[in-house]
Structure formats: structure tokens, C-alpha cells
Amino acid sequence: MAFVADVFDAILIDVDTGDTIATTTLQSGNLEVSVSENEIRGGKGNALLGLLHVSRDINVSLTDAEFKFEWMAKQLGQTVITGAGTAYAMPEWYTVMDNAGTKEITLKEEPTSIDSVVLYDKNGVKLTKTTDFTLDEKVITITKTGVNATDKVEVRTFTYATAATTQTINIDSSVFAKGVKLILETIEISGDEKPLNKIQYQFPSAVPAGNFSIQTSSERSAQAQQFDLKILKPSDSTIVGQIVRIPIAA
């Protein structure tokens, strides 16, 4: 007596470039094979006389506990681009410091320009660039009357240059997910939990569904990443995949 009792490990191989991404941290992996059929009925009582099998669909649904940027790129039909870019700072409150009579705040990043800096005083009044404040690298000097040292000011946002190691995925409305080779593997065990065989599902042609969602909440918790694929028939064969049972040496 044997059982399959562990989640898949998964490998995705780009059929064009050979680039490979993989995961061993799936929370769940589902492989669903469904056969469409038409019933033949007739006679008294409309009895079932036969079945005509029309097609076989194979769908794979993977849920990963670990966030993988490469997986998101595959669903969008894109590759990850590495290089410096531009980002937006999130809203943050700063305390105005007195620097020898000059009212200053020092930002955590250097804005790309003063035009991108959006600054409000403690009363929610927007400050005007060059008139109410100036910028020198990361230091904002506040010249507006009524804003004093020890006051709080809110920097709503500004743009800044990111590091050369920044990764970017383009979201192109005209580009969709490309085909990959999909390999899934799990373990077959005995009733006393002894590993018996590795069960490997090999699909030479699979297309990511391209659908994904990111759900967050104020309660901090890891958000699982969903990845769905449909198995396609290769152009030169009716064999859409293989199930390989590999013995595990004692």
C-alpha cells in the first residue's frame, strides 16, 4: 500500500531561452485532468447507450508561500529587467531641525528634483517649492513663516533614483504569457512513511493563465502567490505529458 502525501516541487523552463525558475516552497499544488464527453442516449427511458469522449483538459494550480518575482514576470509574458530606475517615496512625517537658525529636514533619499517634492505643514497646508522651501541633495530648507523648529511636516512623496540592482517588470496590455515546460515532482510513501518512489509529471508545453491577485491587510502575514497553468498539446504529438515513477534507493 502506497500514498502520495507531499506537495509538489515545481520547475518552469522557458521553451525559447532555457531560463529556469523553480520552487520547493509550495503550500499546495493541484493537478486536474478532466475529460469532456457526449452521451449517446435512446430507446425507451432514454437509456445511456454509449459515450463519445471529446477532449481531455489538464489544469495545474500552484500556491507558493514564498514570493517569487520571476513567477510574476512569467504570468505577464515578460522578463525581469535589472537596472536603475525611478521610485516614489511613501508619505512620512519629519521633525523640523534648527541648524544655526536655518529650518531643515533631511530626507532618506535624494529627490530627482524639487519639482517632485510634495510637502505639507502640520496644519495640512501645502508648501510651495522655491517660495516656501528649497532643496539641496537630501536637505530641504524651509523658509515659510509659521513653520518653526520642532514642528512636524509631512513629505507626501517625491521621486528618487533607485540602485543599479533594481528589478522591473513591464505590464504590457498587448503581451501575454508565453509557453513553458512544466515539471512537477512529489514523493510516494508507504503506510509507515518510508519513501518508495518519486512521482514526476512532465509537460513539454504549458501556458500560464496570466491571472494573479495580490491581497494585503493591516495584520502582517505572508501572502501566498497563486500560479495557474493550462497544458497544451505539442504541435508534433498527441502526447501532452508523461508521469514518471522513479524508484528511491533504499
Side-chain angles (χ1 to χ4, degrees):
M1 184 178 296
F3 308 92
V4 172
D6 210 345
V7 71
F8 290 126
D9 291 336
I11 299 173
L12 298 179
I13 303 173
D14 190 306
V15 295
D16 294 326
T17 67
D19 291 342
T20 302
I21 58 177
T23 182
T24 58
T25 56
L26 292 180
Q27 288 182 334
S28 64
N30 301 318
L31 174 62
E32 179 183 348
V33 181
S34 59
V35 176
S36 299
E37 57 189 23
N38 291 329
E39 295 180 347
I40 303 173
R41 292 181 177 271
K44 294 182 176 64
N46 197 31
L48 180 64
L49 304 177
L51 292 173
L52 297 177
H53 293 100
V54 180
S55 62
R56 177 180 285 111
D57 295 325
I58 303 176
N59 296 303
V60 177
S61 178
L62 308 176
T63 303
D64 202 338
E66 182 181 352
F67 177 77
K68 289 184 169 59
F69 207 51
E70 298 90 344
W71 285 53
M72 184 177 291
K74 288 299 180 189
Q75 293 183 86
L76 293 168
Q78 301 286 344
T79 56
V80 178
I81 302 169
T82 301
T86 300
Y88 290 82
M90 292 296 105
E92 188 168 353
W93 288 91
Y94 289 82
T95 300
V96 179
M97 306 301 293
D98 185 343
N99 182 11
T102 301
K103 298 173 292 185
E104 295 179 350
I105 61 172
T106 301
L107 304 176
K108 295 179 178 178
E109 303 284 349
E110 181 179 345
T112 54
S113 72
I114 192 172
D115 294 335
S116 71
V117 179
V118 182
L119 182 61
Y120 286 79
D121 68 16
K122 63 182 180 181
N123 298 313
V125 177
K126 184 177 180 180
L127 276 64
T128 304
K129 65 182 181 182
T130 67
T131 301
D132 296 331
F133 68 93
T134 58
L135 175 68
D136 182 15
E137 296 182 344
K138 294 183 180 181
V139 178
I140 290 179
T141 300
I142 300 173
T143 56
K144 182 180 179 181
T145 302
V147 178
N148 303 309
T150 73
D151 283 354
K152 294 283 189 178
V153 294
E154 183 187 14
V155 180
R156 292 274 172 92
T157 191
F158 59 86
T159 58
Y160 63 93
T162 62
T165 53
T166 299
Q167 294 181 315
T168 302
I169 301 172
N170 290 323
I171 303 176
D172 190 331
S173 61
S174 65
V175 176
F176 298 92
K178 301 174 183 177
V180 296
K181 182 182 293 185
L182 172 65
I183 312 297
L184 302 172
E185 184 176 283
T186 186
I187 296 177
E188 181 183 6
I189 62 174
S190 64
D192 59 358
E193 299 190 73
K194 178 183 177 181
L196 300 175
N197 302 286
K198 292 185 288 187
I199 306 296
Q200 194 169 99
Y201 298 83
Q202 304 174 359
F203 299 105
S205 183
V207 173
N211 303 319
F212 68 90
S213 61
I214 304 295
Q215 300 178 7
T216 64
S217 62
S218 58
E219 181 181 357
R220 194 173 188 181
S221 61
Q223 301 299 313
Q225 188 176 11
Q226 184 77 21
F227 196 88
D228 298 327
L229 304 102
K230 291 182 179 294
I231 306 303
L232 304 182
K233 184 187 84 67
S235 59
D236 57 353
S237 174
T238 60
I239 298 175
V240 298
Q242 293 182 315
I243 305 173
V244 182
R245 195 183 200 188
I246 308 166
I248 298 176

PDB file of all heavy atoms in Angstrom, residues 33-67:
ATOM      1  N   VAL A  33      -7.170  16.721 -14.201  1.00  0.00           N
ATOM      2  CA  VAL A  33      -7.386  16.206 -15.552  1.00  0.00           C
ATOM      3  C   VAL A  33      -8.880  15.962 -15.723  1.00  0.00           C
ATOM      4  O   VAL A  33      -9.483  15.196 -14.961  1.00  0.00           O
ATOM      5  CB  VAL A  33      -6.602  14.900 -15.784  1.00  0.00           C
ATOM      6  CG1 VAL A  33      -6.822  14.394 -17.202  1.00  0.00           C
ATOM      7  CG2 VAL A  33      -5.125  15.107 -15.502  1.00  0.00           C
ATOM      8  N   SER A  34      -9.477  16.630 -16.694  1.00  0.00           N
ATOM      9  CA  SER A  34     -10.911  16.464 -16.923  1.00  0.00           C
ATOM     10  C   SER A  34     -11.167  16.068 -18.371  1.00  0.00           C
ATOM     11  O   SER A  34     -10.526  16.576 -19.295  1.00  0.00           O
ATOM     12  CB  SER A  34     -11.667  17.761 -16.595  1.00  0.00           C
ATOM     13  OG  SER A  34     -11.208  18.832 -17.381  1.00  0.00           O
ATOM     14  N   VAL A  35     -12.081  15.129 -18.560  1.00  0.00           N
ATOM     15  CA  VAL A  35     -12.428  14.628 -19.887  1.00  0.00           C
ATOM     16  C   VAL A  35     -13.845  15.085 -20.232  1.00  0.00           C
ATOM     17  O   VAL A  35     -14.781  14.871 -19.453  1.00  0.00           O
ATOM     18  CB  VAL A  35     -12.334  13.088 -19.940  1.00  0.00           C
ATOM     19  CG1 VAL A  35     -12.788  12.577 -21.297  1.00  0.00           C
ATOM     20  CG2 VAL A  35     -10.918  12.634 -19.634  1.00  0.00           C
ATOM     21  N   SER A  36     -13.972  15.719 -21.380  1.00  0.00           N
ATOM     22  CA  SER A  36     -15.305  16.118 -21.853  1.00  0.00           C
ATOM     23  C   SER A  36     -15.901  14.961 -22.651  1.00  0.00           C
ATOM     24  O   SER A  36     -15.200  14.282 -23.415  1.00  0.00           O
ATOM     25  CB  SER A  36     -15.212  17.363 -22.742  1.00  0.00           C
ATOM     26  OG  SER A  36     -14.678  18.452 -22.023  1.00  0.00           O
ATOM     27  N   GLU A  37     -17.181  14.747 -22.474  1.00  0.00           N
ATOM     28  CA  GLU A  37     -17.815  13.629 -23.152  1.00  0.00           C
ATOM     29  C   GLU A  37     -19.243  13.970 -23.534  1.00  0.00           C
ATOM     30  O   GLU A  37     -19.903  14.795 -22.890  1.00  0.00           O
ATOM     31  CB  GLU A  37     -17.813  12.386 -22.246  1.00  0.00           C
ATOM     32  CG  GLU A  37     -18.491  12.592 -20.902  1.00  0.00           C
ATOM     33  CD  GLU A  37     -18.286  11.431 -19.945  1.00  0.00           C
ATOM     34  OE1 GLU A  37     -17.307  10.686 -20.114  1.00  0.00           O
ATOM     35  OE2 GLU A  37     -19.123  11.267 -19.041  1.00  0.00           O
ATOM     36  N   ASN A  38     -19.690  13.362 -24.600  1.00  0.00           N
ATOM     37  CA  ASN A  38     -21.077  13.481 -25.041  1.00  0.00           C
ATOM     38  C   ASN A  38     -21.760  12.128 -24.871  1.00  0.00           C
ATOM     39  O   ASN A  38     -21.218  11.094 -25.281  1.00  0.00           O
ATOM     40  CB  ASN A  38     -21.156  13.917 -26.507  1.00  0.00           C
ATOM     41  CG  ASN A  38     -20.701  15.343 -26.703  1.00  0.00           C
ATOM     42  OD1 ASN A  38     -20.867  16.173 -25.812  1.00  0.00           O
ATOM     43  ND2 ASN A  38     -20.120  15.642 -27.860  1.00  0.00           N
ATOM     44  N   GLU A  39     -22.923  12.153 -24.267  1.00  0.00           N
ATOM     45  CA  GLU A  39     -23.668  10.910 -24.041  1.00  0.00           C
ATOM     46  C   GLU A  39     -24.513  10.571 -25.266  1.00  0.00           C
ATOM     47  O   GLU A  39     -25.070  11.457 -25.919  1.00  0.00           O
ATOM     48  CB  GLU A  39     -24.569  11.060 -22.822  1.00  0.00           C
ATOM     49  CG  GLU A  39     -23.811  11.255 -21.520  1.00  0.00           C
ATOM     50  CD  GLU A  39     -24.746  11.396 -20.332  1.00  0.00           C
ATOM     51  OE1 GLU A  39     -25.964  11.593 -20.555  1.00  0.00           O
ATOM     52  OE2 GLU A  39     -24.265  11.305 -19.182  1.00  0.00           O
ATOM     53  N   ILE A  40     -24.576   9.281 -25.550  1.00  0.00           N
ATOM     54  CA  ILE A  40     -25.476   8.779 -26.590  1.00  0.00           C
ATOM     55  C   ILE A  40     -26.629   8.084 -25.880  1.00  0.00           C
ATOM     56  O   ILE A  40     -26.433   7.093 -25.169  1.00  0.00           O
ATOM     57  CB  ILE A  40     -24.757   7.790 -27.522  1.00  0.00           C
ATOM     58  CG1 ILE A  40     -23.522   8.439 -28.153  1.00  0.00           C
ATOM     59  CG2 ILE A  40     -25.714   7.289 -28.604  1.00  0.00           C
ATOM     60  CD1 ILE A  40     -22.684   7.474 -28.956  1.00  0.00           C
ATOM     61  N   ARG A  41     -27.823   8.605 -26.053  1.00  0.00           N
ATOM     62  CA  ARG A  41     -28.995   8.054 -25.384  1.00  0.00           C
ATOM     63  C   ARG A  41     -30.091   7.775 -26.407  1.00  0.00           C
ATOM     64  O   ARG A  41     -30.194   8.432 -27.447  1.00  0.00           O
ATOM     65  CB  ARG A  41     -29.522   9.008 -24.314  1.00  0.00           C
ATOM     66  CG  ARG A  41     -28.592   9.175 -23.119  1.00  0.00           C
ATOM     67  CD  ARG A  41     -29.166  10.105 -22.075  1.00  0.00           C
ATOM     68  NE  ARG A  41     -28.291  10.210 -20.903  1.00  0.00           N
ATOM     69  CZ  ARG A  41     -28.353   9.401 -19.855  1.00  0.00           C
ATOM     70  NH1 ARG A  41     -29.274   8.418 -19.831  1.00  0.00           N
ATOM     71  NH2 ARG A  41     -27.522   9.543 -18.843  1.00  0.00           N
ATOM     72  N   GLY A  42     -30.914   6.819 -26.086  1.00  0.00           N
ATOM     73  CA  GLY A  42     -32.027   6.500 -26.974  1.00  0.00           C
ATOM     74  C   GLY A  42     -32.884   5.393 -26.418  1.00  0.00           C
ATOM     75  O   GLY A  42     -32.623   4.859 -25.332  1.00  0.00           O
ATOM     76  N   GLY A  43     -33.909   5.062 -27.169  1.00  0.00           N
ATOM     77  CA  GLY A  43     -34.792   3.982 -26.779  1.00  0.00           C
ATOM     78  C   GLY A  43     -35.726   4.369 -25.648  1.00  0.00           C
ATOM     79  O   GLY A  43     -35.774   5.525 -25.209  1.00  0.00           O
ATOM     80  N   LYS A  44     -36.467   3.367 -25.181  1.00  0.00           N
ATOM     81  CA  LYS A  44     -37.388   3.595 -24.075  1.00  0.00           C
ATOM     82  C   LYS A  44     -36.636   3.998 -22.814  1.00  0.00           C
ATOM     83  O   LYS A  44     -35.642   3.382 -22.458  1.00  0.00           O
ATOM     84  CB  LYS A  44     -38.213   2.334 -23.818  1.00  0.00           C
ATOM     85  CG  LYS A  44     -39.152   1.962 -24.949  1.00  0.00           C
ATOM     86  CD  LYS A  44     -39.966   0.726 -24.595  1.00  0.00           C
ATOM     87  CE  LYS A  44     -40.983   0.413 -25.686  1.00  0.00           C
ATOM     88  NZ  LYS A  44     -40.333   0.065 -26.976  1.00  0.00           N
ATOM     89  N   GLY A  45     -37.093   5.052 -22.168  1.00  0.00           N
ATOM     90  CA  GLY A  45     -36.441   5.542 -20.958  1.00  0.00           C
ATOM     91  C   GLY A  45     -35.189   6.351 -21.237  1.00  0.00           C
ATOM     92  O   GLY A  45     -34.474   6.718 -20.312  1.00  0.00           O
ATOM     93  N   ASN A  46     -34.931   6.612 -22.502  1.00  0.00           N
ATOM     94  CA  ASN A  46     -33.754   7.412 -22.880  1.00  0.00           C
ATOM     95  C   ASN A  46     -32.490   6.856 -22.221  1.00  0.00           C
ATOM     96  O   ASN A  46     -31.704   7.562 -21.592  1.00  0.00           O
ATOM     97  CB  ASN A  46     -33.943   8.874 -22.472  1.00  0.00           C
ATOM     98  CG  ASN A  46     -32.982   9.810 -23.176  1.00  0.00           C
ATOM     99  OD1 ASN A  46     -32.578   9.557 -24.306  1.00  0.00           O
ATOM    100  ND2 ASN A  46     -32.602  10.872 -22.512  1.00  0.00           N
ATOM    101  N   ALA A  47     -32.293   5.548 -22.383  1.00  0.00           N
ATOM    102  CA  ALA A  47     -31.173   4.867 -21.728  1.00  0.00           C
ATOM    103  C   ALA A  47     -29.835   5.316 -22.309  1.00  0.00           C
ATOM    104  O   ALA A  47     -29.739   5.737 -23.464  1.00  0.00           O
ATOM    105  CB  ALA A  47     -31.330   3.355 -21.900  1.00  0.00           C
ATOM    106  N   LEU A  48     -28.817   5.225 -21.501  1.00  0.00           N
ATOM    107  CA  LEU A  48     -27.473   5.566 -21.923  1.00  0.00           C
ATOM    108  C   LEU A  48     -26.915   4.427 -22.772  1.00  0.00           C
ATOM    109  O   LEU A  48     -26.723   3.310 -22.312  1.00  0.00           O
ATOM    110  CB  LEU A  48     -26.574   5.800 -20.703  1.00  0.00           C
ATOM    111  CG  LEU A  48     -25.117   6.169 -20.992  1.00  0.00           C
ATOM    112  CD1 LEU A  48     -25.030   7.508 -21.716  1.00  0.00           C
ATOM    113  CD2 LEU A  48     -24.311   6.225 -19.693  1.00  0.00           C
ATOM    114  N   LEU A  49     -26.645   4.732 -24.037  1.00  0.00           N
ATOM    115  CA  LEU A  49     -26.166   3.716 -24.975  1.00  0.00           C
ATOM    116  C   LEU A  49     -24.656   3.742 -25.153  1.00  0.00           C
ATOM    117  O   LEU A  49     -24.042   2.728 -25.496  1.00  0.00           O
ATOM    118  CB  LEU A  49     -26.839   3.926 -26.343  1.00  0.00           C
ATOM    119  CG  LEU A  49     -28.371   3.936 -26.341  1.00  0.00           C
ATOM    120  CD1 LEU A  49     -28.895   4.214 -27.735  1.00  0.00           C
ATOM    121  CD2 LEU A  49     -28.921   2.616 -25.814  1.00  0.00           C
ATOM    122  N   GLY A  50     -24.075   4.901 -24.934  1.00  0.00           N
ATOM    123  CA  GLY A  50     -22.634   4.995 -25.123  1.00  0.00           C
ATOM    124  C   GLY A  50     -22.120   6.381 -24.783  1.00  0.00           C
ATOM    125  O   GLY A  50     -22.888   7.300 -24.479  1.00  0.00           O
ATOM    126  N   LEU A  51     -20.821   6.516 -24.813  1.00  0.00           N
ATOM    127  CA  LEU A  51     -20.166   7.796 -24.532  1.00  0.00           C
ATOM    128  C   LEU A  51     -19.180   8.111 -25.644  1.00  0.00           C
ATOM    129  O   LEU A  51     -18.448   7.221 -26.106  1.00  0.00           O
ATOM    130  CB  LEU A  51     -19.412   7.747 -23.197  1.00  0.00           C
ATOM    131  CG  LEU A  51     -20.244   7.648 -21.910  1.00  0.00           C
ATOM    132  CD1 LEU A  51     -19.305   7.446 -20.727  1.00  0.00           C
ATOM    133  CD2 LEU A  51     -21.056   8.919 -21.711  1.00  0.00           C
ATOM    134  N   LEU A  52     -19.183   9.344 -26.070  1.00  0.00           N
ATOM    135  CA  LEU A  52     -18.192   9.825 -27.019  1.00  0.00           C
ATOM    136  C   LEU A  52     -17.272  10.788 -26.285  1.00  0.00           C
ATOM    137  O   LEU A  52     -17.707  11.843 -25.830  1.00  0.00           O
ATOM    138  CB  LEU A  52     -18.876  10.542 -28.200  1.00  0.00           C
ATOM    139  CG  LEU A  52     -19.797   9.685 -29.078  1.00  0.00           C
ATOM    140  CD1 LEU A  52     -20.444  10.553 -30.149  1.00  0.00           C
ATOM    141  CD2 LEU A  52     -19.010   8.549 -29.728  1.00  0.00           C
ATOM    142  N   HIS A  53     -16.025  10.407 -26.153  1.00  0.00           N
ATOM    143  CA  HIS A  53     -15.070  11.272 -25.474  1.00  0.00           C
ATOM    144  C   HIS A  53     -14.562  12.321 -26.449  1.00  0.00           C
ATOM    145  O   HIS A  53     -14.113  12.012 -27.557  1.00  0.00           O
ATOM    146  CB  HIS A  53     -13.914  10.452 -24.908  1.00  0.00           C
ATOM    147  CG  HIS A  53     -14.347   9.548 -23.799  1.00  0.00           C
ATOM    148  ND1 HIS A  53     -14.587   8.198 -23.976  1.00  0.00           N
ATOM    149  CD2 HIS A  53     -14.613   9.799 -22.498  1.00  0.00           C
ATOM    150  CE1 HIS A  53     -14.957   7.650 -22.834  1.00  0.00           C
ATOM    151  NE2 HIS A  53     -14.983   8.606 -21.912  1.00  0.00           N
ATOM    152  N   VAL A  54     -14.660  13.575 -26.039  1.00  0.00           N
ATOM    153  CA  VAL A  54     -14.385  14.693 -26.940  1.00  0.00           C
ATOM    154  C   VAL A  54     -12.979  15.247 -26.735  1.00  0.00           C
ATOM    155  O   VAL A  54     -12.222  15.426 -27.686  1.00  0.00           O
ATOM    156  CB  VAL A  54     -15.424  15.817 -26.731  1.00  0.00           C
ATOM    157  CG1 VAL A  54     -15.144  16.982 -27.660  1.00  0.00           C
ATOM    158  CG2 VAL A  54     -16.832  15.277 -26.941  1.00  0.00           C
ATOM    159  N   SER A  55     -12.610  15.534 -25.489  1.00  0.00           N
ATOM    160  CA  SER A  55     -11.314  16.172 -25.241  1.00  0.00           C
ATOM    161  C   SER A  55     -10.859  15.892 -23.820  1.00  0.00           C
ATOM    162  O   SER A  55     -11.644  15.487 -22.960  1.00  0.00           O
ATOM    163  CB  SER A  55     -11.403  17.684 -25.473  1.00  0.00           C
ATOM    164  OG  SER A  55     -12.329  18.265 -24.564  1.00  0.00           O
ATOM    165  N   ARG A  56      -9.587  16.133 -23.580  1.00  0.00           N
ATOM    166  CA  ARG A  56      -9.018  15.999 -22.235  1.00  0.00           C
ATOM    167  C   ARG A  56      -8.308  17.309 -21.908  1.00  0.00           C
ATOM    168  O   ARG A  56      -7.405  17.732 -22.625  1.00  0.00           O
ATOM    169  CB  ARG A  56      -8.051  14.829 -22.154  1.00  0.00           C
ATOM    170  CG  ARG A  56      -7.376  14.703 -20.789  1.00  0.00           C
ATOM    171  CD  ARG A  56      -6.412  13.533 -20.718  1.00  0.00           C
ATOM    172  NE  ARG A  56      -7.123  12.263 -20.615  1.00  0.00           N
ATOM    173  CZ  ARG A  56      -7.163  11.347 -21.571  1.00  0.00           C
ATOM    174  NH1 ARG A  56      -6.562  11.574 -22.734  1.00  0.00           N
ATOM    175  NH2 ARG A  56      -7.828  10.207 -21.403  1.00  0.00           N
ATOM    176  N   ASP A  57      -8.726  17.966 -20.827  1.00  0.00           N
ATOM    177  CA  ASP A  57      -8.119  19.216 -20.387  1.00  0.00           C
ATOM    178  C   ASP A  57      -7.317  18.960 -19.120  1.00  0.00           C
ATOM    179  O   ASP A  57      -7.776  18.261 -18.210  1.00  0.00           O
ATOM    180  CB  ASP A  57      -9.182  20.284 -20.110  1.00  0.00           C
ATOM    181  CG  ASP A  57      -9.931  20.697 -21.363  1.00  0.00           C
ATOM    182  OD1 ASP A  57      -9.300  20.721 -22.441  1.00  0.00           O
ATOM    183  OD2 ASP A  57     -11.128  21.005 -21.274  1.00  0.00           O
ATOM    184  N   ILE A  58      -6.123  19.567 -19.051  1.00  0.00           N
ATOM    185  CA  ILE A  58      -5.282  19.440 -17.868  1.00  0.00           C
ATOM    186  C   ILE A  58      -4.963  20.835 -17.356  1.00  0.00           C
ATOM    187  O   ILE A  58      -4.416  21.672 -18.092  1.00  0.00           O
ATOM    188  CB  ILE A  58      -3.973  18.687 -18.178  1.00  0.00           C
ATOM    189  CG1 ILE A  58      -4.285  17.297 -18.765  1.00  0.00           C
ATOM    190  CG2 ILE A  58      -3.124  18.548 -16.925  1.00  0.00           C
ATOM    191  CD1 ILE A  58      -3.048  16.525 -19.179  1.00  0.00           C
ATOM    192  N   ASN A  59      -5.327  21.092 -16.111  1.00  0.00           N
ATOM    193  CA  ASN A  59      -5.071  22.376 -15.473  1.00  0.00           C
ATOM    194  C   ASN A  59      -4.232  22.165 -14.219  1.00  0.00           C
ATOM    195  O   ASN A  59      -4.450  21.215 -13.461  1.00  0.00           O
ATOM    196  CB  ASN A  59      -6.388  23.069 -15.098  1.00  0.00           C
ATOM    197  CG  ASN A  59      -7.224  23.407 -16.322  1.00  0.00           C
ATOM    198  OD1 ASN A  59      -6.771  24.097 -17.213  1.00  0.00           O
ATOM    199  ND2 ASN A  59      -8.452  22.906 -16.360  1.00  0.00           N
ATOM    200  N   VAL A  60      -3.291  23.068 -14.018  1.00  0.00           N
ATOM    201  CA  VAL A  60      -2.406  22.998 -12.859  1.00  0.00           C
ATOM    202  C   VAL A  60      -2.539  24.286 -12.064  1.00  0.00           C
ATOM    203  O   VAL A  60      -2.511  25.382 -12.636  1.00  0.00           O
ATOM    204  CB  VAL A  60      -0.930  22.798 -13.281  1.00  0.00           C
ATOM    205  CG1 VAL A  60      -0.017  22.794 -12.063  1.00  0.00           C
ATOM    206  CG2 VAL A  60      -0.778  21.504 -14.075  1.00  0.00           C
ATOM    207  N   SER A  61      -2.718  24.148 -10.760  1.00  0.00           N
ATOM    208  CA  SER A  61      -2.833  25.306  -9.879  1.00  0.00           C
ATOM    209  C   SER A  61      -1.806  25.174  -8.757  1.00  0.00           C
ATOM    210  O   SER A  61      -1.809  24.182  -8.021  1.00  0.00           O
ATOM    211  CB  SER A  61      -4.248  25.396  -9.293  1.00  0.00           C
ATOM    212  OG  SER A  61      -4.361  26.486  -8.412  1.00  0.00           O
ATOM    213  N   LEU A  62      -0.924  26.170  -8.655  1.00  0.00           N
ATOM    214  CA  LEU A  62       0.141  26.146  -7.659  1.00  0.00           C
ATOM    215  C   LEU A  62      -0.001  27.346  -6.733  1.00  0.00           C
ATOM    216  O   LEU A  62      -0.244  28.461  -7.192  1.00  0.00           O
ATOM    217  CB  LEU A  62       1.519  26.192  -8.335  1.00  0.00           C
ATOM    218  CG  LEU A  62       1.779  25.160  -9.437  1.00  0.00           C
ATOM    219  CD1 LEU A  62       3.137  25.408 -10.075  1.00  0.00           C
ATOM    220  CD2 LEU A  62       1.694  23.751  -8.889  1.00  0.00           C
ATOM    221  N   THR A  63       0.152  27.135  -5.441  1.00  0.00           N
ATOM    222  CA  THR A  63       0.115  28.210  -4.455  1.00  0.00           C
ATOM    223  C   THR A  63       1.416  28.184  -3.675  1.00  0.00           C
ATOM    224  O   THR A  63       1.724  27.199  -3.002  1.00  0.00           O
ATOM    225  CB  THR A  63      -1.074  28.040  -3.492  1.00  0.00           C
ATOM    226  OG1 THR A  63      -2.288  27.999  -4.248  1.00  0.00           O
ATOM    227  CG2 THR A  63      -1.145  29.203  -2.525  1.00  0.00           C
ATOM    228  N   ASP A  64       2.178  29.276  -3.780  1.00  0.00           N
ATOM    229  CA  ASP A  64       3.509  29.315  -3.184  1.00  0.00           C
ATOM    230  C   ASP A  64       3.538  30.244  -1.981  1.00  0.00           C
ATOM    231  O   ASP A  64       3.046  31.371  -2.045  1.00  0.00           O
ATOM    232  CB  ASP A  64       4.532  29.797  -4.225  1.00  0.00           C
ATOM    233  CG  ASP A  64       5.952  29.382  -3.884  1.00  0.00           C
ATOM    234  OD1 ASP A  64       6.214  29.115  -2.698  1.00  0.00           O
ATOM    235  OD2 ASP A  64       6.787  29.332  -4.791  1.00  0.00           O
ATOM    236  N   ALA A  65       4.127  29.779  -0.891  1.00  0.00           N
ATOM    237  CA  ALA A  65       4.259  30.608   0.305  1.00  0.00           C
ATOM    238  C   ALA A  65       5.309  31.690   0.118  1.00  0.00           C
ATOM    239  O   ALA A  65       5.234  32.756   0.728  1.00  0.00           O
ATOM    240  CB  ALA A  65       4.635  29.734   1.499  1.00  0.00           C
ATOM    241  N   GLU A  66       6.293  31.431  -0.755  1.00  0.00           N
ATOM    242  CA  GLU A  66       7.382  32.375  -0.984  1.00  0.00           C
ATOM    243  C   GLU A  66       7.058  33.246  -2.195  1.00  0.00           C
ATOM    244  O   GLU A  66       6.661  32.734  -3.247  1.00  0.00           O
ATOM    245  CB  GLU A  66       8.699  31.632  -1.221  1.00  0.00           C
ATOM    246  CG  GLU A  66       9.897  32.548  -1.429  1.00  0.00           C
ATOM    247  CD  GLU A  66      11.185  31.772  -1.677  1.00  0.00           C
ATOM    248  OE1 GLU A  66      11.150  30.539  -1.542  1.00  0.00           O
ATOM    249  OE2 GLU A  66      12.200  32.400  -2.011  1.00  0.00           O
ATOM    250  N   PHE A  67       7.227  34.562  -2.056  1.00  0.00           N
ATOM    251  CA  PHE A  67       7.001  35.474  -3.174  1.00  0.00           C
ATOM    252  C   PHE A  67       8.143  35.355  -4.174  1.00  0.00           C
ATOM    253  O   PHE A  67       9.311  35.468  -3.820  1.00  0.00           O
ATOM    254  CB  PHE A  67       6.902  36.914  -2.679  1.00  0.00           C
ATOM    255  CG  PHE A  67       6.730  37.916  -3.795  1.00  0.00           C
ATOM    256  CD1 PHE A  67       5.497  38.071  -4.413  1.00  0.00           C
ATOM    257  CD2 PHE A  67       7.793  38.680  -4.220  1.00  0.00           C
ATOM    258  CE1 PHE A  67       5.337  38.977  -5.445  1.00  0.00           C
ATOM    259  CE2 PHE A  67       7.645  39.593  -5.245  1.00  0.00           C
ATOM    260  CZ  PHE A  67       6.413  39.744  -5.864  1.00  0.00           C
TER     261      PHE A  67
END
